[in-house]
């Protein structure tokens, strides 16, 4: 009875369908009597399943529709019916697919402003009415199963539904009148309707991004400009959050064009100062909105995803107000989701640091501490603050933000839950950048994705290494553990990756020495950590990478400088560091072609 009975019936149908499919596949891969047994078993299970279900897919749609008409109380049952229909029914014929498409439009049109929806306590309530998105996810999953491999057909039906909703709820009409209602959340266009519409749009954008091929999307770019951009400044933080997610996915989608730069700039504004950006275009509402940590986290997450997909150069152009408004060329889609890097002098990325001096590296990383200048940027607003934080580039700006969050961990207040989430997004994003360097160094120039320069890759690697041993992250054990696991897999994957870690050692050591800690052993802990990572063996078939000699030379120079500086009376902290560096030196794998003579 009740929800338990619905779940049980759904589980039984899916189980029977799964067994029938598995036995059918087994009969196709065997011969003789075993094949006959498997085929008979599959047929028996299929007959039992057909006895449970309506005779046709169209009748299955009508059964779902009946539960849909029953209101919120019957919607959980409708979700389970959609699971069964998507997995067990046959949708290969055109009439069945058309019936499912009409049902999709009906399910998308549920109005969160209706009385029964606003008061619903169903586990499948609309997300704009406090639901957990179970309904929206079930609808989209059902539609995807119906249309199968024809992603363009799915996108077409979802786009039709989104456009019909925008017209029925007069969202575009409100924006054409000046955007006041969309921005302020007045009764003419409540935040509930706009939020519900944005959730459907977000799922459409995800379907379009998964498609991986260009398909017609008439009117979609116009909706992004007229509705999503103003919604990202809405007074309701829930509306702003989902609008930011829409902007992020749209900027990752090659099919959309004409708004890439404006979408990236809006994400940058909200990531820096979550509030109303200054200098809005005429016709947009002028108002202030309360800062919200979740919106800022989503904006930061979006920037990190775009950084991995299109690279720092493309984002720097957009954030600094230059460059084309068009998204990168379609052939770059094959590299979307990959990390960005830049052509070094040796044709590689993140290696031994040969493309920059140690002073250059230390200067870059030392600027990632939020000093008075950067704190002033944080107190600014919108576009001006974004231009300030990202004036040296998006990578350095995000590293600055990460370092600032780490510094705040040492304060008495610590970080809020939203700020901890933002820190985790930054860590995950930078780790993703590093993880794809070996692949993207080899990408042809036509893809438009350049690998990170050596000094930028070393700065990112050094910052992540420091986070593992920094005292401030003791309260964030999940971050430490994830980074530790990441670097273990990273160094085990290839000698190229191990070389990137080697190239960041001295930068991390120098930065660790500058930390204002009462008992500072961070620099020693970093050296010990890297020593353990260097003992990991790369995967079989990996081609050894040269470059460890650069670190060897740096270690030798560091030891020589310490002896010269302290004139034979070396203090214990310096001796400890020299001891760890020499031990690290013994673990380096120098190939015969490297300049060993330079070490003598």
């Amino acid at each position: 009875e009740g929800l338990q009975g619905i779940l049980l019936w759904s589980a039984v149908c899916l189980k029977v369908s799964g067994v029938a499919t598995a036995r059918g596949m087994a009969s196709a891969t065997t011969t003789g009597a075993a094949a006959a047994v498997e085929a008979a078993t599959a047929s028996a299970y299929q007959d039992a399943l057909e006895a449970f279900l309506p005779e046709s897919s169209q009748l299955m749609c009508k059964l779902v529709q009946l539960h849909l008409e029953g209101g919120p109380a019957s919607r959980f049952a409708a979700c389970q019916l959609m699971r069964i229909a998507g997995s067990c029914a046959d949708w290969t014929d055109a009439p069945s697919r058309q019936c499912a498409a009409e049902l999709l439009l009906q399910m998308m049109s549920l109005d969160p402003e209706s009385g029964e929806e606003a008061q619903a306590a169903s586990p499948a309530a609309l997300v704009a009415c406090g639901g957990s998105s179970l309904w929206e996810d079930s609808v989209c999953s059902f539609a995807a199963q119906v249309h199968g491999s024809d992603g363009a057909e799915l996108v077409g039906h979802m786009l039709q539904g989104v456009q019909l909703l925008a017209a029925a709820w007069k969202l575009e009409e409100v924006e054409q009148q000046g955007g006041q209602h969309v921005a302020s959340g007045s009764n003419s266009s409540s935040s509930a309707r706009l939020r519900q519409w944005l959730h459907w749009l977000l799922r459409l954008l995800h379907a379009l991004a998964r498609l991986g091929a260009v398909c017609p999307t008439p009117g979609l770019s116009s909706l992004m400009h007229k509705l999503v951009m103003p919604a990202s400044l809405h007074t309701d933080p829930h509306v702003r959050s989902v609008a930011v997610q829409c902007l992020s996915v749209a900027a990752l989608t090659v099919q959309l064009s004409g708004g890439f730069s404006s979408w990236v700039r809006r994400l940058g504004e909200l990531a820096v100062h979550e509030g109303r950006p200054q200098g809005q275009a005429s016709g947009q509402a002028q108002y202030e909105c309360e800062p919200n940590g979740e919106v800022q986290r989503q904006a930061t997450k979006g920037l990190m995803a775009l950084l991995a997909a299109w690279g720092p150069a493309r984002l720097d152009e957009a954030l600094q107000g230059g460059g084309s408004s068009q998204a990168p060329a379609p052939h770059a889609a094959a590299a979307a989701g990959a990390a960005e890097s830049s052509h070094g002098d040796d044709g590689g990325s993140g290696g031994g640091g040969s493309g920059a001096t140690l002073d250059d590296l230390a200067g870059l990383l030392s600027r990632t501490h939020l000093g008075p200048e950067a704190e002033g940027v944080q107190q600014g607003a919108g576009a001006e603050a974004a231009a300030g934080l990202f004036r040296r580039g998006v990578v350095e700006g995000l590293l600055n933000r990460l370092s600032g969050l780490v510094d705040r961990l040492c304060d008495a207040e610590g970080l809020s839950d939203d700020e901890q989430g933002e820190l985790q997004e930054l860590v995950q994003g930078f780790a993703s950048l590093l993880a794809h360097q070996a692949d993207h160094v080899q990408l042809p120039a036509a893809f438009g994705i350049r690998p990170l320069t050596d000094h930028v890759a070393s700065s990112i690697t050094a910052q992540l290494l420091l986070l593992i041993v920094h005292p401030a992250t003791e309260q964030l054990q999940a971050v430490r553990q994830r980074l530790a696991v990441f670097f273990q897999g990273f160094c085990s994957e290839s000698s190229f990756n191990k070389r990137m870690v080697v190239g960041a050692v001295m930068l991390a050591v120098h930065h660790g020495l500058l930390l204002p800690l009462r008992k500072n052993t961070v620099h020693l802990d970093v050296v010990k950590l890297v020593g353990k990572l260097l003992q990991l063996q790369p995967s079989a078939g990996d081609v050894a990478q040269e470059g460890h000699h650069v670190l060897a030379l740096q270690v030798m120079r560091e030891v020589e400088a310490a002896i010269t500086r302290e004139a034979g009376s070396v203090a214990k902290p310096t001796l400890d560091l020299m001891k760890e560096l020499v031990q690290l030196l013994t673990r380096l794998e120098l190939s015969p072609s490297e300049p060993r003579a330079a070490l003598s």
Side-chain angles (χ1 to χ4, degrees), residues 55-379:
E55 295 181 357
S56 67
S57 300
Q58 296 183 47
L59 290 177
M60 195 72 184
C61 282
K62 293 186 181 298
L63 183 59
V64 175
Q65 186 175 10
L66 286 175
H67 285 78
L68 184 64
E69 294 171 352
S74 302
R75 196 167 299 148
F76 182 77
C79 289
Q80 303 308 312
L81 284 172
M82 283 189 285
R83 288 182 64 199
I84 298 171
S87 300
C88 305
D90 181 13
W91 303 100
T92 55
D93 59 298
S96 296
R97 293 160 76 92
Q98 182 59 35
C99 182
E102 295 172 359
L103 178 61
L104 171 65
L105 297 180
Q106 185 178 353
M107 292 188 292
M108 290 178 65
S109 65
L110 295 178
D111 189 353
E113 283 192 355
S114 65
E116 63 175 0
E117 294 294 343
Q119 300 174 4
S122 168
L126 298 180
V127 69
C129 298
S132 62
S133 77
L134 171 64
W135 171 249
E136 291 77 13
D137 291 342
S138 298
V139 169
C140 292
S141 177
F142 168 67
Q145 288 175 310
V146 167
H147 297 288
S149 59
D150 194 348
E153 186 179 62
L154 171 64
V155 168
H157 289 309
M158 293 192 68
L159 178 58
Q160 180 185 2
V162 166
Q163 291 173 330
L164 289 174
L165 275 185
W169 292 343
K170 300 182 179 180
L171 299 180
E172 290 187 67
E173 179 181 324
V174 170
E175 176 56 22
Q176 290 171 0
Q177 295 172 356
Q180 298 293 335
H181 296 100
V182 170
S184 63
S186 69
N187 291 333
S188 298
S189 178
S190 74
S191 61
R193 275 184 170 178
L194 183 57
R195 183 183 175 192
Q196 186 67 34
W197 181 84
L198 286 168
H199 272 282
W200 289 123
L201 177 65
L202 178 61
R203 283 157 176 79
L204 163 62
L205 292 171
H206 277 298
L208 186 60
R210 286 193 298 268
L211 187 57
V214 176
C215 72
T217 53
L220 183 54
S221 294
S222 176
L223 290 176
M224 293 295 300
H225 173 70
K226 293 180 179 179
L227 294 178
V228 181
M229 285 292 283
S232 66
L233 307 178
H234 200 280
T235 53
D236 186 342
H238 298 292
V239 171
R240 291 206 303 280
S241 178
V242 67
V244 164
Q245 295 176 60
C246 289
L247 292 177
S248 301
V249 179
L252 284 168
T253 305
V254 176
Q255 290 91 325
L256 299 178
S257 62
F260 180 82
S261 293
S262 59
W263 300 338
V264 172
R265 283 195 293 271
R266 180 57 51 83
L267 291 174
E269 294 164 3
L270 295 177
V272 173
H273 177 79
E274 209 297 282
R276 182 183 73 82
Q278 296 177 346
Q280 297 180 52
S282 59
Q284 292 187 5
Q286 304 294 321
Y287 62 94
E288 297 287 345
C289 52
E290 292 296 327
N292 181 268
E294 173 61 19
V295 178
Q296 188 170 23
R297 186 183 74 83
Q298 290 293 346
T300 301
K301 181 179 181 180
L303 279 180
M304 294 303 303
L306 293 174
L307 181 63
W310 305 129
R314 181 64 185 165
L315 264 64
D316 288 343
E317 290 179 2
L319 288 169
Q320 295 168 9
S324 167
S325 63
Q326 302 290 323
H331 59 249
E340 158 72 349
S341 328
S342 111
H343 297 299
D345 294 339
D346 58 354
S349 118
S354 58
T357 66
L358 190 59
D359 291 339
D360 293 334
L361 302 180
L364 175 60
L365 190 54
S366 65
R367 289 198 299 270
T368 63
H369 274 296
L370 283 177
E373 181 184 15
E375 290 174 359
V377 169
Q378 291 289 323
Q379 296 167 3

Side-chain angles (χ1 to χ4, degrees), residues 510-573:
H510 278 255
H511 194 53
L513 286 168
L514 298 176
L515 294 176
L517 301 174
R518 180 175 302 176
K519 186 178 180 181
N520 187 1
T521 61
V522 172
H523 54 293
L524 301 177
D525 295 336
V526 166
V527 177
K528 293 176 182 177
L529 172 63
V530 174
K532 294 178 181 178
L533 293 175
L534 290 180
Q535 295 177 4
L536 299 174
Q537 295 298 321
S539 58
D542 179 59
V543 178
Q545 296 282 338
E546 300 179 358
H548 289 190
H549 69 285
V550 176
L551 176 59
L553 289 170
Q554 292 174 354
V555 169
M556 298 293 287
R557 289 167 184 163
E558 190 75 20
V559 173
E560 181 182 6
I563 295 175
T564 303
R565 182 174 59 250
E566 305 195 17
S569 178
V570 183
K572 186 178 185 304

